[in-house]
Amino acid sequence: MKIKTIIVDDEPYAIEIIENYLQSFQDVEIVAKCANGIDAFRVLQQKKVDLAFLDVKMPGLNGTDLVKTLKNPPKIIFTTASNDYAVEGFELNAVDYLVKPIPFDRFLKAMDKVYYFFGLSNQATTITNHTPVKDNTDFMYLKVDRKMVKVDVAEVLWIESYGDYVKVALPDKVLVSKQKISILEELLPDDAFLRVHRSFMVNVAKIDSYNSISVEIAGKEIPVGRNYKNDAFKRLRG
């Protein structure tokens, strides 16, 4: 049995993270990805869908209102940046309610419930990879000044976190986006990027030099945090 699945979110990176997570489950087939509730409604009228990952807060038709319009809704996992809609979500018989940024282990618990509902009791035999698939991430989208900006991942020098925002340094500019560094850490490929500090992640290929307390990229010294030092230097030394 294939669990036919739709992902609905107005933020492309959020769709990509769930899509990457779902590549670990061979019993799941993604039949559509939608950026708003209206497009999702059309898909749900035209295709058989067993499971929907549905963002709660979207422009136009939000996730909970979309579910209320459906006579026979699929199993729903709500995703959102806030706990404010949790009660309403469960009143709509949602399978689960995931708060962004979604850790992979929490995602696994939600999928365990899905497998139970569909009678696939031995989930462990269906998981092909317990980590998100990131190797094919060539670009990402960042929300900058009310628009989604496409960023070539290979061009990123480093990423700096401050509060709920990140600075993404490129050779010719710095982009500021309301985003958690933990989300980007999940999204970006492990073999290319390295977390060296609570507030910094770097593109390994762009490192010019390093010492016991910092790495240097394009003339900028980036600190290496105490909790990241062993893993970082083990990686850099090969």
Side-chain angles (χ1 to χ4, degrees):
M1 173 187 176
K2 288 287 187 180
I3 302 172
K4 298 186 181 298
T5 302
I6 183 174
I7 307 171
V8 188
D9 203 300
D10 62 326
E11 298 176 327
Y13 69 83
I15 290 179
E16 188 165 0
I17 287 172
I18 293 175
E19 184 178 16
N20 283 342
Y21 282 173
L22 287 175
Q23 289 184 41
S24 298
F25 297 84
Q26 63 184 19
D27 295 317
V28 174
E29 177 186 352
I30 299 173
V31 297
K33 295 175 285 184
C34 301
N36 58 72
I38 299 298
D39 287 347
F41 178 82
R42 295 191 183 104
V43 170
L44 290 165
Q45 300 304 308
Q46 298 169 3
K47 296 184 178 182
K48 179 184 182 299
V49 176
D50 303 309
L51 173 66
F53 286 89
L54 190 56
D55 187 22
V56 173
K57 194 172 182 181
M58 294 181 290
L61 183 65
N62 69 36
T64 53
D65 287 342
L66 169 59
V67 175
K68 292 173 185 177
T69 68
L70 302 173
K71 291 183 178 179
N72 297 297
K75 298 299 182 186
I76 303 292
I77 295 178
F78 283 113
T79 62
T80 180
S82 170
N83 279 312
D84 294 345
Y85 303 91
V87 173
E88 185 177 8
F90 285 116
E91 286 177 349
L92 293 170
N93 296 317
V95 173
D96 211 335
Y97 188 96
L98 300 178
V99 178
K100 303 172 185 176
I102 304 168
F104 188 63
D105 59 348
R106 181 64 183 84
F107 187 87
L108 279 176
K109 291 180 180 178
M111 288 302 295
D112 188 61
K113 296 178 184 180
V114 170
Y115 274 62
Y116 173 80
F117 279 117
F118 288 105
L120 301 172
S121 58
N122 192 359
Q123 176 183 328
T125 63
T126 67
I127 300 176
T128 58
N129 183 354
H130 286 264
T131 56
V133 178
K134 310 173 189 177
D135 295 340
N136 295 323
T137 307
D138 298 322
F139 63 88
M140 62 181 174
Y141 284 93
L142 292 174
K143 191 170 185 178
V144 180
D145 296 332
R146 298 184 180 180
K147 61 183 178 181
M148 303 305 295
V149 177
K150 186 176 182 179
V151 178
D152 184 343
V153 167
E155 292 298 309
V156 175
L157 302 176
W158 69 84
I159 298 168
E160 179 180 358
S161 169
Y162 62 107
D164 291 331
Y165 290 81
V166 291
K167 293 180 181 179
V168 178
L170 301 169
D172 58 344
K173 59 187 173 183
V174 175
L175 300 176
V176 178
S177 177
K178 188 173 183 180
Q179 180 59 272
K180 296 281 190 180
I181 195 171
S182 57
I183 287 282
L184 297 184
E185 186 175 15
E186 292 286 355
L187 179 62
L188 294 169
D190 284 334
D191 60 348
F193 285 83
L194 178 64
R195 189 79 174 264
V196 296
H197 189 277
R198 181 179 179 183
S199 300
F200 286 94
M201 186 162 53
V202 300
N203 186 336
V204 176
K206 303 295 184 181
I207 295 175
D208 298 316
S209 64
Y210 68 90
N211 56 36
S212 61
I213 60 172
S214 67
V215 298
E216 183 175 336
I217 299 177
K220 178 179 176 65
E221 286 195 3
I222 297 169
V224 176
R226 182 177 60 184
N227 294 334
Y228 298 86
K229 184 173 294 187
N230 288 341
D231 289 341
F233 289 135
K234 182 178 179 181
R235 169 87 173 273
L236 293 176
R237 290 166 184 155

